[in-house]
């Protein structure tokens, strides 16, 4: 009985060390797997065997070996929650930073096609027309520079519309990703519950689920409840509850020209996301674009109004008809001219009709009064803090446009600094998490050697007991036969 009991103990050691070696191999194999948390085998002594009583009447028991009771993973839920809370801010500010960088590219004035260059050329052309010499060439220059300015404005307006459409598409793609993640988390919840019902841990499924939750936390503001089967809330609404999933739907918003808005699939109530990448995409699509486009629109409204006011009071050198310089391209009779409809008056394609004189022809070739007045508009302070407002005049055209560019730069710098702070926080938290959950090859190789020695020792014990049994069975009692 004693020898066979020793054999059982040795075999239990072999099995326990083998499971530990398999787990070490699993760790090493997944050293580069994203989201993987290193695993370890928990060993525990098996229930002792009662042998009876000693001479003093005390119970005697002996050990029966070892058992690998659990394969667990290293996790820190408190640290996970801190990382996910930071991810919400990181996802927001990184997406906002990317959006502002795209916007800066649209307002890029380091090229000849930029608005600032076109405006400078426009004012310089009027400067030439206001001089006594070169009047014919100067009129042609005014016409060409005006057309170039309108084209630059139209191009910027088109780029802003395309930018908004791109952000709208990105919202739809991001929401689709949210729905994919929540669907998979629901599936993993069911798998984990089924596997862990038997007392084991579904470590690899838990890793996959945690990685998806981490990604989801960058896209929206979430709350995670539970451990075995998690419930995930977005804005207080359960999008995952064990295996049940509620998806976000993208529907056209009639108040925003049919662009995307979010509703819950369960009751079609509006879903307002207050954090993460989705929030940043809505902010860039709606607030950011509108804010800077409206300010640029104010500059165009002021430009058209001020120049037309002067130009319509003067004359060209061909006839005595007074004409607007800029018109509403959709309705030439309208005085409502803005970024969406501004156009160069086609009647001025005959540049002799461009008004530079205060008096009508035929004796106004040397009259440059209107040209000088239009040139003076360049330095007129007709803009307040909110836009075109002569009564609150504080900035001229160049200053007002420069302020727009500076404010875009300030917004970009704010987003960069804040995103960088959260990136640093994320790096620090990930380093803390990594020290706990990441696979260390040095540590695993050390464990490999340790468990190998234990395995070999247990195997050696089996051999020793086998030799003992061989002696008892085959050799004991041979003398005298």
């Amino acid at each position: 009985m004693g020898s066979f009991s020793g054999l059982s103990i040795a075999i239990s050691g072999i099995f326990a060390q083998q499971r530990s070696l398999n787990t070490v191999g699993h760790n090493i194999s997944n050293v580069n797997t994203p989201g993987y948390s290193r695993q370890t085998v928990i060993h525990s002594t098996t229930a002792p065997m009662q042998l009876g009583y000693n001479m003093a009447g005390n119970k005697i028991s002996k050990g029966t070996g070892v058992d690998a009771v659990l394969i667990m993973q290293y996790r820190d839920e408190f640290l996970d929650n801190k990382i996910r809370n930071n991810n919400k801010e990181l996802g927001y500010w990184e997406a906002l930073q990317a959006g502002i960088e795209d916007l800066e590219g649209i307002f890029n004035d380091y090229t000849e096609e930029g608005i600032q260059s076109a405006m400078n050329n426009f004012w310089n052309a009027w400067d030439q027309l206001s001089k006594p010499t070169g009047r014919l060439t100067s009129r042609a220059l005014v016409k060409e520079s005006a057309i170039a300015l309108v084209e630059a404005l139209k191009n910027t307006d088109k780029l802003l519309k395309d930018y908004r459409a791109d952000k709208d598409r990105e919202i739809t793609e991001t929401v689709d990703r949210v729905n994919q993640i929540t669907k998979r988390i629901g599936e993993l919840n069911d798998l984990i519950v089924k596997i862990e019902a038997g007392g084991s841990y579904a470590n690899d499924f838990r890793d996959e689920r945690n990685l998806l939750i981490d990604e989801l936390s960058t896209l929206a503001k979430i709350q995670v409840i539970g451990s075995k089967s998690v419930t995930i809330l977005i804005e207080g609404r359960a999008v995952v509850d064990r295996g049940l999933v509620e998806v976000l739907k993208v529907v056209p918003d009639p108040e925003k020209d049919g662009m995307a808005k979010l509703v819950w699939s369960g009751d079609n109530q509006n879903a307002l996301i207050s954090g993460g990448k989705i929030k940043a995409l809505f902010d860039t699509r709606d607030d950011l674009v509108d804010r800077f486009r409206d300010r640029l629109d104010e500059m165009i409204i002021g430009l058209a109004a001020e120049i037309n006011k002067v130009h319509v009071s003067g004359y060209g050198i061909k006839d005595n008809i007074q004409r607007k310089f800029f018109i509403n391209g959709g309705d030439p009779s309208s005085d409502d001219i803005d970024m969406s409809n501004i156009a160069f008056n086609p009647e001025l394609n005959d540049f002799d009709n461009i008004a530079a004189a205060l008096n009508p022809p035929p004796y106004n070739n040397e009259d440059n009064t209107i040209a000088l007045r239009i040139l003076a508009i360049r330095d007129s302070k007709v803009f307040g803090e909110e836009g075109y407002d002569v009564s609150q005049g504080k900035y001229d055209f160049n200053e007002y446009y420069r302020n727009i560019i500076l404010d875009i730069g300030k917004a970009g710098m704010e987003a960069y600094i804040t995103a960088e702070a959260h990136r640093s926080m994320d790096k620090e938290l990930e380093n803390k998490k990594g020290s706990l959950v990441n696979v260390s090859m040095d540590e695993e190789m050390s464990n490999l050697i340790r468990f190998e020695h234990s395995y070999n020792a247990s195997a050696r014990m089996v051999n020793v007991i086998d030799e003992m049994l061989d002696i008892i069975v085959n050799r004991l009692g041979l003398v005298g036969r």
Side-chain angles (χ1 to χ4, degrees), residues 140-434:
L141 192 60
V142 167
K143 170 192 167 183
E144 296 303 324
S145 65
I147 292 174
L149 176 59
V150 169
E151 287 301 316
L153 296 171
K154 291 287 188 183
N155 182 59
T156 299
D157 191 36
K158 179 181 181 300
L159 290 174
L160 289 173
K161 290 177 180 177
D162 291 344
Y163 172 87
R164 174 174 282 171
D166 286 341
K167 293 303 173 186
D168 199 56
R169 282 191 293 270
E170 196 171 349
I171 287 171
T172 300
E173 292 168 359
T174 305
V175 171
D176 287 343
R177 180 56 185 160
V178 168
N179 291 332
Q180 290 171 6
I181 290 172
T182 54
K183 179 182 177 183
R184 181 56 182 164
I185 291 174
E187 294 170 352
L188 290 169
N189 274 344
D190 286 340
L191 289 170
I192 291 168
V193 168
K194 289 176 183 177
I195 292 172
E196 296 188 356
S200 61
Y201 273 78
N203 293 321
D204 294 329
F205 285 143
R206 281 175 172 264
D207 283 338
E208 182 184 352
R209 187 178 67 183
N210 282 320
L211 187 63
L212 290 172
I213 294 173
D214 288 344
E215 182 184 353
L216 184 62
S217 67
T218 68
L219 305 180
K221 178 183 177 182
I222 67 171
Q223 183 181 358
V224 182
I225 303 171
S227 176
K228 182 181 292 187
S229 176
V230 298
T231 297
I232 297 180
L233 308 179
I234 294 181
E235 304 299 332
R237 185 148 177 163
V239 292
V240 179
D241 187 5
R242 191 167 176 174
L244 300 176
V245 176
E246 182 173 19
V247 302
L248 280 168
K249 290 199 306 184
V250 178
V251 298
D253 187 351
E255 296 181 0
K256 293 191 177 295
D257 300 322
M259 290 190 294
K261 75 171 182 177
L262 307 184
V263 298
W264 299 108
S265 61
D267 53 16
N268 286 323
Q269 293 294 313
N270 287 340
L272 302 176
I273 308 300
S274 63
K277 181 180 179 180
I278 294 177
K279 167 68 172 171
L281 292 174
F282 275 103
D283 285 351
T284 51
R285 187 197 72 179
D286 299 335
D287 178 65
L288 199 65
V289 174
D290 284 346
R291 191 194 334 161
F292 290 107
R293 188 189 180 282
D294 288 349
R295 290 177 64 182
L296 184 59
D297 200 33
E298 285 292 315
M299 188 184 77
I300 306 312
I301 292 171
L303 180 72
E306 292 296 315
I307 288 182
N308 280 349
K309 182 168 60 177
V310 176
H311 192 271
V312 78
S313 66
Y315 299 90
I317 58 175
K318 192 172 184 179
D319 56 38
N320 60 358
I321 299 175
Q322 295 176 313
R323 301 175 175 87
K324 298 177 184 176
F325 191 84
F326 293 114
I327 62 168
N328 180 322
D331 181 9
S333 64
S334 173
D335 290 329
D336 293 328
I337 302 173
D338 56 30
M339 192 172 179
S340 64
N341 59 40
I342 188 170
F344 178 67
N345 191 343
E347 294 182 20
L348 303 183
N349 284 329
D350 182 353
F351 44 75
D352 285 343
N353 291 331
I354 295 175
L358 180 62
N359 300 307
Y363 305 109
N364 64 353
N365 284 337
E366 300 301 322
D367 187 351
N368 62 354
T369 305
I370 296 299
L372 287 170
R373 290 180 181 176
I374 290 178
L375 181 61
I377 294 172
R378 180 179 195 172
D379 299 319
S380 300
K381 298 190 182 297
V382 295
F383 296 100
E385 296 291 347
E386 302 299 323
Y388 176 55
D389 187 349
V390 178
S391 64
Q392 301 292 326
K394 187 177 180 181
Y395 306 108
D396 62 29
F397 284 89
N398 288 335
E399 291 169 341
Y400 184 76
Y401 184 70
R402 194 181 307 121
N403 286 343
I404 296 175
I405 303 302
L406 287 174
D407 287 346
I408 294 175
K410 288 177 183 177
M413 183 58 67
E414 179 190 4
Y416 170 78
I417 291 172
T418 310
E420 195 63 29
H422 286 289
R423 277 190 286 266
S424 297
M425 176 72 74
D426 181 68
K427 184 176 181 181
E428 180 182 345
L429 293 172
E430 287 292 344
N431 286 338
K432 288 182 180 179
K433 177 182 175 182

